[in-house]
Amino acid sequence: MTTSDLHLLFHPRSVAVVGASANIDSAGYDYTAALPKFGFTGAVYPINPRGGEIAGFPAYASLLDVPGDVDLVISCIPSGAVLNLIEQCGKKGVSFLHLFTAQFSETGDAAAAALERQVEAAAKTVGVRILGPNGLGLYHPAAGLSFRLDLPRAAGNVAVLSQSGNNAVEVVVRGAARGLKFGKVTNYGNGMDVTPAELLRYLAEDPETAVIGAYVEGVPDGRAFFEGLQQAAARKPVIIYKAGRTVAGAKSAASHTAALAGSHAVWSAAIAQAGAIEARTLEQLIDLLVAASLMPKPVGRSVAAAGGGGGRSVQSADACEEYGLIVAPMPDTVREQIRAKAPQVAGWVGNPVDQSILAGSGFSSNGILELMLADETYEIGIANVGEDWFFGRPEADDRLRHACNRLAAVVAKSPKPVAVVLGATETQEQWERTLVDSIRDDFVAKGVAVFPTVERAAYVLSKLAP
Amino acid sequence: MTTSDLHLLFHPRSVAVVGASANIDSAGYDYTAALPKFGFTGAVYPINPRGGEIAGFPAYASLLDVPGDVDLVISCIPSGAVLNLIEQCGKKGVSFLHLFTAQFSETGDAAAAALERQVEAAAKTVGVRILGPNGLGLYHPAAGLSFRLDLPRAAGNVAVLSQSGNNAVEVVVRGAARGLKFGKVTNYGNGMDVTPAELLRYLAEDPETAVIGAYVEGVPDGRAFFEGLQQAAARKPVIIYKAGRTVAGAKSAASHTAALAGSHAVWSAAIAQAGAIEARTLEQLIDLLVAASLMPKPVGRSVAAAGGGGGRSVQSADACEEYGLIVAPMPDTVREQIRAKAPQVAGWVGNPVDQSILAGSGFSSNGILELMLADETYEIGIANVGEDWFFGRPEADDRLRHACNRLAAVVAKSPKPVAVVLGATETQEQWERTLVDSIRDDFVAKGVAVFPTVERAAYVLSKLAP
């Protein structure tokens, strides 16, 4: 198998949507309408026995009626009609068939599982490769493909493979708000033919892909998966969230996609051995993608932490040390620079830097963080915004923005990774919520990695540090 | 010591603010202006040598000029002026002096620490009790007291004691957005005289207080603290977040409040032995307060989980089982009720309930959750809203609200604790953010406990379950 095997899947020159529909509350509409919306430049063929127009394209009664070649067929028809469709795909010389169609082995029903095996055999016979079944398929904005109409059109280099459709969506929706821009996102569902192993091998060699995230419950062929993982992790950061770790989770995974979830200890060890990074929640998967995608890789574990009050300083120190970062004391070189400008706090200020003792000193925690990041003692920065303090002050909006602009400039200037900690919007007042969202958007627009808690920031830095 | 000892601290009949100021960007203004804003009904005396009017009250040049009795003095003056103030407090027969004033032992400076000891001795001599120094003091909306102008005026029964001012603020600001209503919130700072131990003993007996949360870095007298903790935990849920657990954290804690942070293993064991619940982050402290305050106490560990797609179901099962909850299979009693209405999914649906397989069945995951909660198999519920799915559908706003209203009704009907999982607002579109905030507000207004991830929901339920 070569890396070009999946090229047409991710870069089809023409797409037919079988089961396309003019009903805007249907997948058959979404797949069709997404193509022009995401700038797909090839031919689009909605297929619907009733003909008519769907999302602005004339519909064909059958795939066989389509005038041109078709690289990718997306199937939204019931499972019982799939064997017939495969036969048509063979006749048309279709390269890839994405089966959004579900109700196969994942139901746990013997007849449905048998149908899946028939589908697999028929596809092999006619030479069409299958993505799915029971998966949303592709979100690849650079190529004009999307499984939802509401996802960002901006293209990037973060690839995701996910067994679960909703989790793929969640990584994109929540990750985009944190600054991730996506390349090839694949919800492979049951992974019957195009497996996660093959996707990993392809993404390993794919020049568009810089970072890979994966949500897997189980895999049909563990050895192939770990070979793919090793190949990818040798070339770029790969983060794996393996779910179905527990008995109940595995049972649920089995009903979800009929893949064996496997023993977790073996998985953890194998992920580490392959050189990949393990996430244990979807939140961690997104956090790690944000860190790997937006920050320079840490070259060591010595962290300069700053911002927030005394409580946050203690919390920051605990989080860093518990996750294995080193909270090195403020070096004399930096302390003397502080003393030159603010002798009254020079003996008192430490690492982490407590913003609350700096009032009237002429220094902010951002200013001290800048000095620390310029010193060879530190290899990583963590900056607490401490927005709750601002909420209680007059002109909170202006002051918070001013402090955050200054912080963003410190981050931009430093070649070292700096994580910014800005809380979630669970605040009382609507203006506070809008303000926090807007500040986060500003950071994100400047390419800054933002985390809602200092523990999450420290965790990802500890996972990426050598 | 009796429980009435601190009564006048929390229910002063008159308050003088020494160092009151007309500058709206000063603590001396905030403490004065907060009194009328929060409905304080007693006498208010701003003290400022320049006289004039502050926040609508005539200012007095000295505490000794105040015409009436003063129960509580709030000090915003520099540390060097405190000994003189204590002498005046003695002359006026003041009961409590809250020293917002800082720059004592927490600086690590020997002269400042010596001044703190002098302050302690002087206060003993004249018979005035001291809260602080280096603390924001009191937020007790039922009595009209607040250390910030922007906190909620609604009064409740959640008490908080916190060594850190910013952390006290964060618990209130973030907790209120999650539905917490606060009783006696105390930022005791250096805890020189009124200690966390005494506060715990007082809150143990306080009829207004139903739940207690505490942020501590270290305590001056461990034995007294754990006696207070035991006394409180015997009567009501007490959640302790002990920071300064690591070497770096303890060092930072020492500079923060000059209290010895102590060995964490000893702390953990002692918290458990006292019957209190340990939180390891501020987020967990707030989550546990939300759970203890808003939900009935779980009587067992068997959890019915529902909602979200297949991925979320697997994730939910993992989270529950890893935290020690029991994901019991769907009992036949419930399965037969499902079969009566939706035979096509009855054999397939499991616990957790995968919403994505229910389309067209006549059941939603909320409907199935309702049946499960009515069954004796389950003692706890977890409901995933799965809002990201809705974002991609037409009429997302109406449909999401409809589903959440239905869910809120299911929660209200059940005598069992049900945690609702609704994600944070880190989404792409402003309308999605506003919608999530508004849905959370609706749940909160109905008294529903909402958690941003299923892992956080499972964690708190496991900590509160027997």
Side-chain angles (χ1 to χ4, degrees):
Chain A
M1 183 165 315
T2 71
T3 59
S4 65
D5 282 343
L6 300 180
H7 182 78
L8 280 179
L9 174 64
F10 289 107
H11 305 88
R13 293 158 302 185
S14 51
V15 176
V17 181
V18 178
S21 165
N23 170 9
I24 62 159
D25 194 13
S26 72
Y29 175 83
D30 282 1
Y31 282 112
T32 314
L35 292 162
K37 182 162 185 189
F38 281 77
F40 181 72
T41 54
V44 176
Y45 306 112
I47 312 294
N48 186 304
R50 279 171 294 182
E53 197 180 272
I54 294 171
F57 300 97
Y60 296 82
S62 154
L63 180 61
L64 298 177
D65 298 339
V66 167
D69 289 338
V70 177
D71 286 339
L72 172 64
V73 169
I74 300 173
S75 162
C76 306
I77 56 177
S79 57
V82 167
L83 285 173
N84 183 46
L85 175 61
I86 288 174
E87 203 182 308
Q88 295 180 358
C89 287
K91 285 182 187 156
K92 281 294 287 180
V94 168
S95 299
F96 287 92
L97 169 60
H98 156 220
L99 292 173
F100 169 69
T101 305
Q103 308 248 358
F104 288 98
S105 63
E106 79 279 7
T107 58
D109 180 78
L115 178 59
E116 184 167 314
R117 287 191 299 273
Q118 285 178 274
V119 164
E120 190 174 7
K124 275 220 175 70
T125 303
V126 305
V128 63
R129 301 290 316 272
I130 301 219
L131 179 63
N134 184 34
L136 296 179
L138 304 173
Y139 164 64
H140 183 203
L145 302 171
S146 179
F147 44 61
R148 295 233 306 204
L149 290 168
D150 65 329
L151 302 182
R153 286 203 47 190
N157 56 22
V158 178
V160 176
L161 47 150
S162 173
Q163 195 159 333
S164 152
N166 282 338
N167 283 358
V169 167
E170 217 171 302
V171 170
V172 173
V173 168
R174 309 287 169 161
R178 306 268 302 279
L180 295 183
K181 290 194 173 66
F182 294 92
K184 299 175 176 72
V185 177
T186 313
N187 168 216
Y188 58 86
N190 295 6
M192 183 191 82
D193 175 19
V194 175
T195 61
E198 185 178 0
L199 288 164
L200 282 170
R201 284 198 306 272
Y202 175 80
L203 295 170
E205 309 291 338
D206 177 33
E208 186 197 62
T209 300
V211 180
I212 302 169
Y215 171 83
V216 294
E217 290 164 4
V219 292
D221 179 346
R223 179 183 296 257
F225 181 82
F226 284 105
E227 281 170 6
L229 188 58
Q230 201 160 18
Q231 198 172 322
R235 285 164 183 77
K236 41 198 90 170
V238 183
I239 298 130
I240 305 276
Y241 169 24
K242 164 68 174 76
R245 294 189 293 260
T246 60
V247 173
K251 211 168 145 190
S252 203
S255 108
H256 184 207
T257 46
L260 189 65
S263 150
H264 192 64
V266 175
W267 269 87
S268 274
I271 291 169
Q273 212 182 341
I277 297 165
E278 188 182 4
R280 292 184 69 89
T281 64
L282 200 68
E283 189 172 274
Q284 283 181 357
L285 174 60
I286 297 169
D287 283 353
L288 285 161
L289 287 173
V290 166
S293 178
L294 301 183
M295 298 198 298
K297 187 172 160 52
V299 300
R301 296 192 155 260
S302 176
V303 61
R312 182 65 73 87
S313 299
V314 178
Q315 227 180 309
S316 300
D318 277 353
C320 289
E321 218 170 87
E322 286 178 340
Y323 290 130
L325 300 177
I326 297 157
V327 186
M330 185 77 76
D332 289 343
T333 43
V334 175
R335 199 176 292 284
E336 291 316 311
Q337 289 172 276
I338 298 170
R339 194 180 309 281
K341 196 168 149 189
Q344 71 279 24
V345 298
W348 184 9
V349 70
N351 180 27
V353 179
D354 174 353
Q355 165 70 37
S356 69
I357 69 169
L358 299 176
S361 73
F363 267 113
S364 69
S365 58
N366 294 328
I368 293 179
L369 179 63
E370 188 172 23
L371 299 178
M372 293 167 85
L373 288 170
D375 194 275
E376 62 179 8
T377 305
Y378 301 108
E379 289 137 346
I380 292 172
I382 293 183
N384 293 290
V385 168
E387 63 284 354
D388 296 76
W389 180 82
F390 289 89
F391 293 156
R393 304 314 315 152
E395 294 164 17
D397 191 305
D398 283 356
R399 290 159 83 161
L400 184 53
R401 281 181 199 279
H402 177 81
C404 290
N405 284 337
R406 172 85 172 96
L407 175 55
V410 171
V411 177
K413 197 177 148 188
S414 175
K416 300 171 183 177
V418 183
V420 167
V421 178
L422 175 73
T425 65
E426 286 156 351
T427 55
Q428 273 273 290
E429 306 289 337
Q430 190 54 48
W431 70 263
E432 293 167 345
R433 299 172 179 181
T434 311
L435 179 59
V436 168
D437 275 329
S438 156
I439 298 273
R440 194 181 55 236
D441 286 345
D442 286 349
F443 277 127
V444 163
K446 290 170 182 162
V448 176
V450 179
F451 301 86
T453 68
V454 71
E455 289 83 8
R456 285 167 65 177
Y459 179 81
V460 296
L461 284 163
S462 78
K463 294 291 266 189
L464 294 176
Chain B
M1 184 165 315
T2 70
T3 59
S4 64
D5 281 343
L6 299 180
H7 182 77
L8 280 179
L9 174 64
F10 288 107
H11 305 89
R13 292 158 303 184
S14 51
V15 176
V17 181
V18 177
S21 164
N23 170 7
I24 63 160
D25 194 13
S26 72
Y29 175 82
D30 282 0
Y31 282 111
T32 315
L35 292 162
K37 181 161 187 189
F38 282 77
F40 181 72
T41 54
V44 177
Y45 306 112
I47 312 293
N48 187 305
R50 277 170 294 180
E53 197 180 270
I54 294 170
F57 301 97
Y60 295 82
S62 155
L63 180 62
L64 297 177
D65 298 338
V66 168
D69 288 340
V70 176
D71 286 340
L72 172 65
V73 169
I74 299 173
S75 163
C76 306
I77 57 177
S79 56
V82 167
L83 285 174
N84 183 46
L85 175 60
I86 288 174
E87 203 181 308
Q88 296 180 359
C89 288
K91 284 181 188 156
K92 281 294 288 182
V94 167
S95 299
F96 287 94
L97 170 60
H98 156 220
L99 292 172
F100 169 69
T101 305
Q103 307 247 357
F104 288 99
S105 63
E106 78 277 8
T107 58
D109 179 78
L115 178 59
E116 183 167 314
R117 287 191 298 274
Q118 285 179 274
V119 165
E120 190 174 8
K124 275 221 175 70
T125 303
V126 305
V128 62
R129 300 289 317 271
I130 300 219
L131 179 64
N134 184 34
L136 296 179
L138 304 173
Y139 165 63
H140 183 204
L145 302 171
S146 179
F147 43 62
R148 295 235 304 206
L149 290 168
D150 65 328
L151 303 182
R153 286 202 48 191
N157 56 21
V158 178
V160 176
L161 47 148
S162 173
Q163 196 160 333
S164 152
N166 282 338
N167 283 358
V169 167
E170 217 171 303
V171 170
V172 173
V173 167
R174 309 287 169 160
R178 306 268 302 279
L180 295 183
K181 291 194 173 65
F182 294 92
K184 298 175 176 74
V185 177
T186 313
N187 167 217
Y188 57 86
N190 295 6
M192 182 192 82
D193 174 20
V194 175
T195 61
E198 185 177 1
L199 288 164
L200 282 170
R201 283 197 307 272
Y202 175 80
L203 296 171
E205 308 292 339
D206 177 33
E208 185 197 64
T209 299
V211 180
I212 302 169
Y215 171 83
V216 294
E217 289 163 4
V219 292
D221 180 346
R223 178 184 297 256
F225 181 81
F226 284 105
E227 281 169 6
L229 188 58
Q230 200 160 18
Q231 198 172 322
R235 284 164 183 75
K236 41 197 91 171
V238 183
I239 298 127
I240 305 277
Y241 169 24
K242 165 68 174 77
R245 293 189 293 261
T246 59
V247 173
K251 210 168 145 193
S252 203
S255 109
H256 184 207
T257 47
L260 189 64
S263 150
H264 191 63
V266 175
W267 270 87
S268 275
I271 291 170
Q273 211 182 343
I277 297 165
E278 188 182 3
R280 291 183 70 89
T281 64
L282 201 68
E283 190 172 272
Q284 283 182 357
L285 174 60
I286 297 170
D287 282 352
L288 286 161
L289 287 174
V290 166
S293 178
L294 302 184
M295 299 198 296
K297 188 173 158 52
V299 300
R301 295 192 156 261
S302 176
V303 61
R312 182 65 73 87
S313 299
V314 179
Q315 227 180 312
S316 300
D318 278 352
C320 289
E321 219 170 86
E322 286 179 339
Y323 290 130
L325 300 176
I326 297 157
V327 186
M330 185 76 76
D332 289 342
T333 43
V334 175
R335 199 176 292 283
E336 290 318 310
Q337 289 172 277
I338 298 170
R339 194 180 309 279
K341 196 168 149 189
Q344 73 279 26
V345 298
W348 185 8
V349 69
N351 180 28
V353 179
D354 175 353
Q355 166 70 37
S356 69
I357 69 170
L358 299 176
S361 72
F363 266 113
S364 69
S365 57
N366 293 328
I368 294 180
L369 180 63
E370 188 172 24
L371 299 178
M372 293 168 85
L373 288 170
D375 194 275
E376 62 180 9
T377 305
Y378 301 108
E379 289 137 345
I380 292 171
I382 293 182
N384 294 290
V385 167
E387 63 285 353
D388 295 78
W389 180 82
F390 289 89
F391 293 156
R393 305 314 315 152
E395 294 165 17
D397 191 304
D398 282 356
R399 290 160 82 160
L400 184 53
R401 281 182 199 280
H402 177 80
C404 290
N405 284 337
R406 172 85 172 97
L407 175 55
V410 170
V411 177
K413 198 177 147 189
S414 175
K416 299 171 183 176
V418 183
V420 166
V421 179
L422 174 74
T425 64
E426 285 155 352
T427 55
Q428 273 273 290
E429 305 289 337
Q430 191 54 48
W431 69 264
E432 294 167 345
R433 299 172 179 182
T434 311
L435 179 59
V436 168
D437 275 329
S438 157
I439 298 273
R440 193 182 55 235
D441 286 345
D442 287 349
F443 277 127
V444 163
K446 290 170 180 161
V448 176
V450 179
F451 301 86
T453 69
V454 70
E455 289 83 8
R456 285 168 65 178
Y459 179 81
V460 296
L461 285 163
S462 78
K463 294 292 266 188
L464 294 176

